[in-house]
Amino acid sequence: MAATNAFSSLLILIVSGLLLGCLGQSDDRGPRLIDLTWALKSGIPVFPFYPPYQFTIVHRGNQTGGYYLESNEIAMNEHTGTHIDAPAHFVLGAWRLDQIPLGHLTGPGVMIDVRDKIGDNTDYAVTTQDLQDWEREYGRIPEGGIIMIRSGWGEQFFEEGPVPYLGSDQKNASLLHSPGLHPDAAQWLVDNRDVKVIGFDTISADTGDSTTYPTHKILLPNNIIIIENVGHLNEMPPTGSTVYAMPIKIGDGSGAPTRVFAIIDDRTSTAGLTTPDFILILASAIVLIVQAM
Protein backbone atom coordinates (compact mmCIF):
# COMPACT_ATOMS: atom_id res chain seq x y z
CA MET A 1 0.00 0.00 0.00
CA ALA A 2 2.85 2.37 0.88
CA ALA A 3 4.54 1.58 -2.44
CA THR A 4 1.31 2.32 -4.29
CA ASN A 5 0.95 5.67 -2.53
CA ALA A 6 4.57 6.54 -3.32
CA PHE A 7 4.06 5.64 -6.97
CA SER A 8 0.89 7.73 -7.09
CA SER A 9 2.70 10.71 -5.61
CA LEU A 10 5.47 10.35 -8.16
CA LEU A 11 2.97 10.27 -11.03
CA ILE A 12 1.24 13.37 -9.69
CA LEU A 13 4.57 15.21 -9.61
CA ILE A 14 5.31 14.17 -13.21
CA VAL A 15 1.85 15.25 -14.37
CA SER A 16 2.17 18.58 -12.58
CA GLY A 17 5.51 19.21 -14.27
CA LEU A 18 4.08 18.39 -17.68
CA LEU A 19 1.09 20.66 -17.18
CA LEU A 20 3.19 23.54 -15.91
CA GLY A 21 5.52 23.10 -18.87
CA CYS A 22 2.63 23.23 -21.30
CA LEU A 23 1.05 26.24 -19.66
CA GLY A 24 4.39 28.01 -19.62
CA GLN A 25 4.90 27.59 -23.34
CA SER A 26 4.04 30.55 -25.54
CA ASP A 27 2.26 29.35 -28.67
CA ASP A 28 3.71 31.49 -31.43
CA ARG A 29 2.06 29.32 -34.07
CA GLY A 30 -1.06 31.43 -34.22
CA PRO A 31 -2.79 32.52 -37.41
CA ARG A 32 -0.46 33.88 -40.08
CA LEU A 33 -1.61 36.17 -42.89
CA ILE A 34 -0.14 36.04 -46.38
CA ASP A 35 -0.78 38.95 -48.73
CA LEU A 36 -1.33 37.64 -52.27
CA THR A 37 -1.84 41.10 -53.78
CA TRP A 38 0.47 43.33 -55.80
CA ALA A 39 0.44 47.02 -54.91
CA LEU A 40 -1.12 49.35 -57.48
CA LYS A 41 1.53 51.77 -58.65
CA SER A 42 2.63 53.56 -61.79
CA GLY A 43 4.25 51.35 -64.41
CA ILE A 44 2.62 48.06 -63.40
CA PRO A 45 1.81 45.67 -66.26
CA VAL A 46 -1.70 45.93 -67.70
CA PHE A 47 -3.43 44.00 -70.45
CA PRO A 48 -2.83 45.62 -73.86
CA PHE A 49 -6.52 46.49 -74.25
CA TYR A 50 -6.44 48.79 -71.23
CA PRO A 51 -4.93 52.18 -70.33
CA PRO A 52 -2.03 52.38 -67.87
CA TYR A 53 -2.66 52.86 -64.18
CA GLN A 54 -2.45 56.53 -63.22
CA PHE A 55 -1.87 57.96 -59.76
CA THR A 56 -2.10 61.70 -59.20
CA ILE A 57 -1.33 63.49 -55.95
CA VAL A 58 -4.03 66.05 -55.16
CA HIS A 59 -2.94 67.04 -51.66
CA ARG A 60 0.20 66.13 -49.76
CA GLY A 61 1.27 68.69 -47.23
CA ASN A 62 0.23 71.23 -44.64
CA GLN A 63 -3.01 73.06 -45.39
CA THR A 64 -3.97 76.66 -44.72
CA GLY A 65 -6.32 75.52 -41.96
CA GLY A 66 -3.37 74.29 -39.92
CA TYR A 67 -3.64 70.59 -40.61
CA TYR A 68 -1.76 68.05 -42.72
CA LEU A 69 -3.65 66.34 -45.57
CA GLU A 70 -3.00 63.63 -48.15
CA SER A 71 -5.44 62.70 -50.93
CA ASN A 72 -4.91 61.27 -54.40
CA GLU A 73 -6.77 60.46 -57.59
CA ILE A 74 -6.43 57.18 -59.44
CA ALA A 75 -7.49 56.21 -62.95
CA MET A 76 -7.52 52.62 -64.23
CA ASN A 77 -9.52 49.91 -65.88
CA GLU A 78 -11.42 47.49 -63.62
CA HIS A 79 -9.04 44.71 -64.67
CA THR A 80 -5.86 46.28 -63.32
CA GLY A 81 -3.35 44.84 -60.86
CA THR A 82 -4.47 41.89 -58.77
CA HIS A 83 -8.11 41.74 -59.79
CA ILE A 84 -11.23 39.63 -60.11
CA ASP A 85 -12.98 38.73 -63.34
CA ALA A 86 -16.70 38.52 -62.62
CA PRO A 87 -18.73 36.10 -64.78
CA ALA A 88 -20.26 39.07 -66.63
CA HIS A 89 -16.80 39.83 -68.03
CA PHE A 90 -17.46 37.16 -70.69
CA VAL A 91 -21.08 36.06 -70.16
CA LEU A 92 -24.19 38.09 -70.99
CA GLY A 93 -26.60 38.16 -68.06
CA ALA A 94 -24.20 36.53 -65.60
CA TRP A 95 -23.16 37.84 -62.19
CA ARG A 96 -21.71 41.30 -62.28
CA LEU A 97 -19.18 42.12 -59.60
CA ASP A 98 -21.63 43.40 -56.98
CA GLN A 99 -23.84 40.33 -57.49
CA ILE A 100 -21.19 37.79 -56.51
CA PRO A 101 -22.19 36.35 -53.10
CA LEU A 102 -19.61 37.21 -50.46
CA GLY A 103 -19.35 33.56 -49.45
CA HIS A 104 -18.27 32.73 -52.99
CA LEU A 105 -15.07 34.72 -52.44
CA THR A 106 -13.62 32.72 -49.57
CA GLY A 107 -12.75 29.07 -49.17
CA PRO A 108 -10.04 26.50 -48.45
CA GLY A 109 -6.84 27.38 -50.28
CA VAL A 110 -5.07 25.14 -52.78
CA MET A 111 -1.70 26.14 -54.25
CA ILE A 112 -0.69 24.12 -57.31
CA ASP A 113 2.96 24.65 -58.25
CA VAL A 114 3.67 23.94 -61.92
CA ARG A 115 7.03 25.67 -62.23
CA ASP A 116 8.82 22.39 -62.93
CA LYS A 117 6.43 21.59 -65.77
CA ILE A 118 6.92 24.83 -67.71
CA GLY A 119 10.52 24.52 -68.85
CA ASP A 120 11.15 26.83 -71.79
CA ASN A 121 7.49 26.99 -72.82
CA THR A 122 6.43 30.56 -72.09
CA ASP A 123 2.86 29.69 -73.12
CA TYR A 124 2.58 26.55 -71.02
CA ALA A 125 -1.02 25.40 -70.45
CA VAL A 126 -1.63 23.65 -67.12
CA THR A 127 -3.10 20.23 -67.88
CA THR A 128 -5.62 17.94 -66.25
CA GLN A 129 -2.68 15.64 -65.51
CA ASP A 130 -0.99 18.45 -63.58
CA LEU A 131 -4.10 18.81 -61.41
CA GLN A 132 -4.35 15.07 -60.85
CA ASP A 133 -0.64 14.86 -59.99
CA TRP A 134 -1.24 17.47 -57.27
CA GLU A 135 -4.18 15.46 -55.91
CA ARG A 136 -2.09 12.28 -55.77
CA GLU A 137 0.37 14.07 -53.49
CA TYR A 138 -1.95 16.25 -51.39
CA GLY A 139 -5.43 14.74 -51.66
CA ARG A 140 -8.60 15.74 -53.42
CA ILE A 141 -9.20 19.44 -54.09
CA PRO A 142 -11.60 20.43 -51.27
CA GLU A 143 -15.23 21.33 -51.83
CA GLY A 144 -15.62 25.07 -52.36
CA GLY A 145 -11.89 25.38 -52.88
CA ILE A 146 -9.95 28.39 -54.10
CA ILE A 147 -7.14 27.24 -56.37
CA MET A 148 -4.01 29.28 -56.96
CA ILE A 149 -1.84 28.27 -59.92
CA ARG A 150 1.82 29.08 -59.31
CA SER A 151 3.73 29.33 -62.57
CA GLY A 152 6.45 31.49 -61.02
CA TRP A 153 5.70 34.19 -63.59
CA GLY A 154 4.59 36.83 -61.13
CA GLU A 155 7.39 36.41 -58.63
CA GLN A 156 9.95 36.53 -61.47
CA PHE A 157 8.62 39.29 -63.66
CA PHE A 158 5.72 41.38 -62.29
CA GLU A 159 7.86 44.00 -60.61
CA GLU A 160 10.30 44.11 -63.54
CA GLY A 161 7.71 45.83 -65.71
CA PRO A 162 5.39 45.12 -68.62
CA VAL A 163 7.86 43.66 -71.16
CA PRO A 164 9.23 40.77 -69.04
CA TYR A 165 5.80 40.02 -67.57
CA LEU A 166 3.77 40.24 -70.79
CA GLY A 167 6.45 38.89 -73.11
CA SER A 168 6.07 41.81 -75.50
CA ASP A 169 6.48 45.56 -75.70
CA GLN A 170 3.64 45.87 -78.21
CA LYS A 171 0.06 46.95 -77.52
CA ASN A 172 -1.10 43.78 -79.25
CA ALA A 173 -2.73 41.02 -77.22
CA SER A 174 -1.79 38.39 -79.83
CA LEU A 175 1.90 38.93 -79.02
CA LEU A 176 1.62 38.12 -75.30
CA HIS A 177 3.46 35.18 -73.76
CA SER A 178 2.64 33.72 -70.35
CA PRO A 179 1.38 30.43 -68.88
CA GLY A 180 -2.31 29.71 -68.27
CA LEU A 181 -4.85 26.93 -67.74
CA HIS A 182 -5.60 24.54 -70.58
CA PRO A 183 -9.31 24.55 -71.58
CA ASP A 184 -9.49 20.78 -71.04
CA ALA A 185 -8.23 21.20 -67.48
CA ALA A 186 -10.75 23.99 -66.91
CA GLN A 187 -13.54 21.72 -68.16
CA TRP A 188 -12.32 18.87 -65.95
CA LEU A 189 -12.59 21.12 -62.90
CA VAL A 190 -16.09 22.23 -63.92
CA ASP A 191 -17.23 18.63 -64.41
CA ASN A 192 -15.47 16.94 -61.49
CA ARG A 193 -14.69 19.38 -58.69
CA ASP A 194 -16.56 22.04 -56.70
CA VAL A 195 -14.32 25.09 -57.13
CA LYS A 196 -15.30 28.69 -56.36
CA VAL A 197 -12.28 30.61 -57.59
CA ILE A 198 -9.10 30.02 -59.59
CA GLY A 199 -6.23 32.48 -59.30
CA PHE A 200 -3.21 32.96 -61.55
CA ASP A 201 0.14 34.69 -61.09
CA THR A 202 -0.07 35.79 -64.73
CA ILE A 203 -1.91 38.44 -66.74
CA SER A 204 -4.63 35.99 -67.83
CA ALA A 205 -6.27 32.67 -67.04
CA ASP A 206 -5.62 31.75 -70.67
CA THR A 207 -2.16 31.32 -72.10
CA GLY A 208 -0.60 34.48 -73.44
CA ASP A 209 -0.79 33.34 -77.05
CA SER A 210 -4.56 32.82 -76.90
CA THR A 211 -6.78 35.23 -78.81
CA THR A 212 -10.13 33.47 -78.20
CA TYR A 213 -9.87 33.00 -74.40
CA PRO A 214 -11.43 29.52 -74.15
CA THR A 215 -10.55 29.07 -70.47
CA HIS A 216 -12.42 32.25 -69.56
CA LYS A 217 -15.37 31.00 -71.60
CA ILE A 218 -15.44 27.71 -69.67
CA LEU A 219 -14.93 28.94 -66.11
CA LEU A 220 -16.99 32.13 -65.98
CA PRO A 221 -20.33 30.70 -67.28
CA ASN A 222 -20.07 28.19 -64.43
CA ASN A 223 -19.58 30.96 -61.85
CA ILE A 224 -15.97 30.02 -61.23
CA ILE A 225 -14.41 33.40 -60.48
CA ILE A 226 -11.01 34.22 -62.00
CA ILE A 227 -8.29 36.19 -60.21
CA GLU A 228 -5.37 37.43 -62.30
CA ASN A 229 -2.01 38.90 -61.31
CA VAL A 230 -1.93 37.11 -57.96
CA GLY A 231 1.24 37.86 -56.00
CA HIS A 232 3.56 36.11 -53.56
CA LEU A 233 2.44 32.53 -54.17
CA ASN A 234 5.91 31.46 -53.03
CA GLU A 235 4.64 32.13 -49.50
CA MET A 236 1.47 30.04 -49.78
CA PRO A 237 1.54 26.35 -48.79
CA PRO A 238 -0.10 23.70 -50.99
CA THR A 239 -2.82 23.10 -48.38
CA GLY A 240 -3.90 24.30 -44.96
CA SER A 241 -4.95 27.87 -45.72
CA THR A 242 -8.18 29.81 -46.08
CA VAL A 243 -8.20 32.32 -48.92
CA TYR A 244 -10.18 35.56 -49.06
CA ALA A 245 -10.62 37.66 -52.21
CA MET A 246 -12.16 41.04 -51.36
CA PRO A 247 -12.76 43.26 -54.42
CA ILE A 248 -13.77 46.90 -54.52
CA LYS A 249 -17.57 46.65 -54.73
CA ILE A 250 -18.14 48.35 -58.08
CA GLY A 251 -21.81 48.48 -59.02
CA ASP A 252 -22.42 46.77 -62.38
CA GLY A 253 -18.72 46.02 -62.60
CA SER A 254 -17.21 43.28 -64.74
CA GLY A 255 -14.22 43.08 -62.40
CA ALA A 256 -12.30 45.04 -59.79
CA PRO A 257 -8.93 45.38 -58.11
CA THR A 258 -8.96 42.93 -55.22
CA ARG A 259 -7.15 42.44 -51.93
CA VAL A 260 -6.40 38.73 -51.89
CA PHE A 261 -4.93 37.10 -48.79
CA ALA A 262 -4.60 33.72 -47.14
CA ILE A 263 -4.82 32.84 -43.47
CA ILE A 264 -2.80 29.90 -42.19
CA ASP A 265 -3.44 28.59 -38.70
CA ASP A 266 -0.98 25.84 -37.77
CA ARG A 267 -3.02 25.04 -34.68
CA THR A 268 -5.85 23.75 -36.88
CA SER A 269 -3.74 22.18 -39.61
CA THR A 270 -4.39 18.66 -40.85
CA ALA A 271 -1.00 17.51 -39.62
CA GLY A 272 -2.46 16.09 -36.41
CA LEU A 273 -2.07 16.93 -32.72
CA THR A 274 0.60 19.41 -31.74
CA THR A 275 3.12 18.45 -29.06
CA PRO A 276 1.48 20.56 -26.29
CA ASP A 277 -1.92 19.08 -27.18
CA PHE A 278 -0.52 15.55 -26.96
CA ILE A 279 1.15 16.22 -23.61
CA LEU A 280 -2.07 17.62 -22.15
CA ILE A 281 -4.03 14.57 -23.28
CA LEU A 282 -1.35 12.22 -21.89
CA ALA A 283 -1.27 14.10 -18.61
CA SER A 284 -5.06 13.89 -18.29
CA ALA A 285 -4.92 10.13 -18.89
CA ILE A 286 -2.28 9.67 -16.18
CA VAL A 287 -4.38 11.65 -13.71
CA LEU A 288 -7.31 9.32 -14.34
CA ILE A 289 -5.08 6.28 -13.80
CA VAL A 290 -3.80 7.68 -10.53
CA GLN A 291 -7.32 8.40 -9.30
CA ALA A 292 -8.34 4.84 -10.08
CA MET A 293 -5.49 3.31 -8.05
Side-chain angles (χ1 to χ4, degrees):
M1 184 68 178
T4 300
N5 288 337
F7 180 66
S8 299
S9 299
L10 178 61
L11 283 177
I12 291 171
L13 285 173
I14 293 172
V15 169
S16 299
L18 289 172
L19 288 171
L20 287 172
C22 287
L23 293 173
Q25 288 183 4
S26 61
D27 189 351
D28 58 358
R29 298 169 297 111
R32 180 164 59 94
L33 274 71
I34 299 174
D35 192 351
L36 303 177
T37 313
W38 292 112
L40 291 170
K41 56 187 179 181
S42 297
I44 61 171
V46 296
F47 204 78
F49 293 165
Y50 306 135
Y53 171 79
Q54 296 182 46
F55 177 91
T56 304
I57 297 173
V58 178
H59 298 100
R60 185 170 292 185
N62 295 319
Q63 306 300 302
T64 56
Y67 58 92
Y68 179 84
L69 177 65
E70 288 195 13
S71 67
N72 313 289
E73 291 180 353
I74 58 175
M76 60 182 169
N77 184 273
E78 300 167 310
H79 302 271
T80 300
T82 304
H83 68 272
I84 273 178
D85 286 357
H89 187 38
F90 270 75
V91 185
L92 179 65
W95 284 342
R96 291 198 171 107
L97 183 78
D98 55 328
Q99 295 172 321
I100 301 172
L102 196 58
H104 205 77
L105 299 172
T106 182
V110 169
M111 192 281 290
I112 299 178
D113 190 341
V114 296
R115 290 175 299 159
D116 292 343
K117 308 286 184 74
I118 291 174
D120 296 328
N121 185 358
T122 57
D123 294 301
Y124 181 80
V126 177
T127 66
T128 303
Q129 188 63 56
D130 294 336
L131 303 177
Q132 293 172 344
D133 288 346
W134 185 92
E135 288 196 331
R136 267 190 288 276
E137 184 169 359
Y138 298 105
R140 185 183 174 94
I141 293 169
E143 299 293 307
I146 294 183
I147 297 175
M148 295 293 175
I149 304 291
R150 183 187 180 192
S151 71
W153 218 249
E155 59 207 69
Q156 289 185 74
F157 300 127
F158 187 86
E159 293 187 302
E160 293 186 16
V163 175
Y165 189 66
L166 302 177
S168 172
D169 61 353
Q170 303 296 314
K171 283 289 188 179
N172 184 340
S174 67
L175 299 177
L176 298 184
H177 295 285
S178 61
L181 182 65
H182 195 285
D184 291 347
Q187 191 64 56
W188 183 81
L189 286 169
V190 168
D191 294 340
N192 297 282
R193 296 293 181 267
D194 176 17
V195 175
K196 292 178 179 177
V197 178
I198 305 180
F200 300 85
D201 62 349
T202 57
I203 196 70
S204 176
D206 285 279
T207 56
D209 60 353
S210 172
T211 57
T212 58
Y213 313 110
T215 296
H216 279 78
K217 292 188 287 189
I218 291 169
L219 297 178
L220 294 178
N222 289 282
N223 288 334
I224 297 178
I225 308 303
I226 292 171
I227 309 177
E228 293 163 337
N229 300 324
V230 176
H232 315 300
L233 287 178
N234 56 306
E235 299 182 25
M236 182 177 175
T239 64
S241 69
T242 302
V243 175
Y244 296 81
M246 300 290 108
I248 300 172
K249 194 172 182 180
I250 300 173
D252 283 342
S254 70
T258 301
R259 190 66 180 264
V260 184
F261 59 95
I263 297 179
I264 301 166
D265 191 343
D266 293 333
R267 296 171 300 181
T268 57
S269 72
T270 57
L273 293 172
T274 63
T275 300
D277 292 336
F278 175 76
I279 292 174
L280 285 169
I281 292 172
L282 178 62
S284 299
I286 293 174
V287 169
L288 292 174
I289 293 171
V290 170
Q291 290 177 341
M293 295 179 65

